[in-house]
Amino acid sequence: MAKPLVATAPFTGCFGCHMSLLDIDDRILKLVELVEFDKSPINDIKVFTRPVDVGLLEGGISNDENVEWLIKFRENCKILVAVGQCALTGGVPAMRNTVPLKECLEEAYLKGPTVIDGKIPNDPEIPILLDKVYPCHEIVKIDYFLPGCPPSADTLWAALTALLTGKNVGLPYELIKYD
Amino acid sequence: MSQQLKIVIDGKEISAGPGQTIMEAADAAGIYIPRLCFHEGLPPGGHCRLCTVKVNGRPVSACTFPVAEGQVIENASEEMTALRRKIVEMLFCEGNHYCPSCEASGNCELQAMAYRLGLLNPQLPYLRKPRELDASHKDIYVDRNRCILCGRCVRASKLLDGKTVFGFEGRGINKRVAVDAERSLNETPFSVTDQAAKICPTGCLTLKRKGWAIPVGQRAFDKGPIGADIERK
């Protein structure tokens, strides 16, 4: 049997959850035996090359590019796992949700104390911001949630190995953390 | 001498004194009934509904309901836990709770309750309503984004401090904790030594210049779940 394929996505987050995945110490050698990585910033594969078994999502959804990729992940992955508070709730970037987007941009690019000749960026290369930062599950169906900021290496390891070996993903008390 | 009563909680028979509430009797017997708006030393509020138990099949709040001979009480069943998890989920989606950047994280009773009840992620739609922040007081700030309307500060200020600094204002979804002043908290006699300053279950009433004082791993709910102190009795 071919190794299960794993893809990972960085949306609006800090890459901390990806760092946490790399923080599993020597278990990373076991992980490499257990799975193969497809599209992921870890191996720098930019597009899906084939259908993937497990997709790990980091970060909330704050712009049109995030939405596009989230939908692609749903189409290409059998199981989608939202990893970390940003993917689960919007997280720290979602703190802008109670402030209108226009005010956020004006504060950052026009009125900020260090701004000189400010201008709100409008280059067509830059993804367009959404009105709010959304958790992944508000846009596509998510199969599993791993809370934490970031989820500890133990949480990720426990969940991943359970998923890949077909066991129940049940997190004990010590591994459920929102911070 | 008062007569002892017998009640049964989740199949375990315990004795209770007349005039006790179900929660008091359960606490004394080392059975934890989840609660948020209840605080020892204050009269029960009875409005967070987290302590809802079924007495002879009928749901009642354990913090206000008196014990009676022969009550059969359902507390930690799967059904009650699922209902409580839903209440906590609604609290998370109604307020603006950003655990990763909150000083109360790890010591927060709302968060601890979510952990205990096994809530992995709130999935109801978030309201994302802007709520008012009052940082006018020199020692303490009120961040209503984190308020769950438990009313502990309202009761503590009135009954323990004799000041009535806090009160509720508005109805339904517009209900909020207000301060007894024209504008802000610094106009009230509120002081950092008040009981009300120490009683908030979340990070709504937070001391200034004290954030993240306890390292991760040593905070109140890092080692054991909320309620473990009662269950150890």
Side-chain angles (χ1 to χ4, degrees), chain B residues 106-118:
Chain B
N107 300 307
C108 170
E109 290 179 36
L110 177 69
Q111 188 192 57
M113 197 58 76
Y115 293 169
R116 184 181 170 112
L117 299 173

Side-chain angles (χ1 to χ4, degrees), chain A residues 85 87-92 94-98 132-135 137-138 145 147 149 171 173-174 176-179, chain B residues 92 96 98-101 105-106 111 114-116 118-123 125-126 128-130 219 221-222 224-226:
Chain A
Q85 288 309 107
L88 266 63
T89 70
V92 172
M95 289 178 94
R96 79 160 159 95
N97 286 3
T98 49
K132 288 189 165 95
V133 181
Y134 294 89
H137 71 260
E138 288 193 7
F145 296 101
C149 186
L171 293 180
Y173 176 83
E174 307 77 53
I176 303 180
K177 289 272 173 264
Y178 293 175
D179 60 358
Chain B
F92 267 101
N96 300 310
Y98 302 105
C99 295
S101 59
S105 190
Q111 188 192 57
Y115 293 169
R116 184 181 170 112
L119 176 67
L120 283 183
N121 186 33
Q123 285 175 63
Y126 286 93
R128 307 290 194 203
K129 248 182 110 175
R219 301 167 304 180
F221 304 114
D222 278 338
I226 188 168

Side-chain angles (χ1 to χ4, degrees), chain A residues 71-140:
Chain A
I71 292 169
K72 276 189 197 157
F73 261 79
R74 182 69 276 180
E75 287 166 353
N76 286 281
C77 303
K78 277 188 214 152
I79 298 169
L80 270 193
V81 187
V83 179
Q85 288 309 107
C86 297
L88 266 63
T89 70
V92 172
M95 289 178 94
R96 79 160 159 95
N97 286 3
T98 49
V99 182
L101 178 61
K102 190 160 177 272
E103 277 177 40
C104 286
L105 288 170
E106 283 173 357
E107 186 63 34
Y109 293 106
L110 301 180
K111 295 184 200 153
T114 55
V115 172
I116 301 163
D117 296 334
K119 183 181 163 222
I120 293 176
N122 63 353
D123 193 295
E125 291 277 307
I126 300 173
I128 296 167
L129 289 178
L130 304 179
D131 62 332
K132 288 189 165 95
V133 181
Y134 294 89
C136 292
H137 71 260
E138 288 193 7
I139 295 176
V140 299

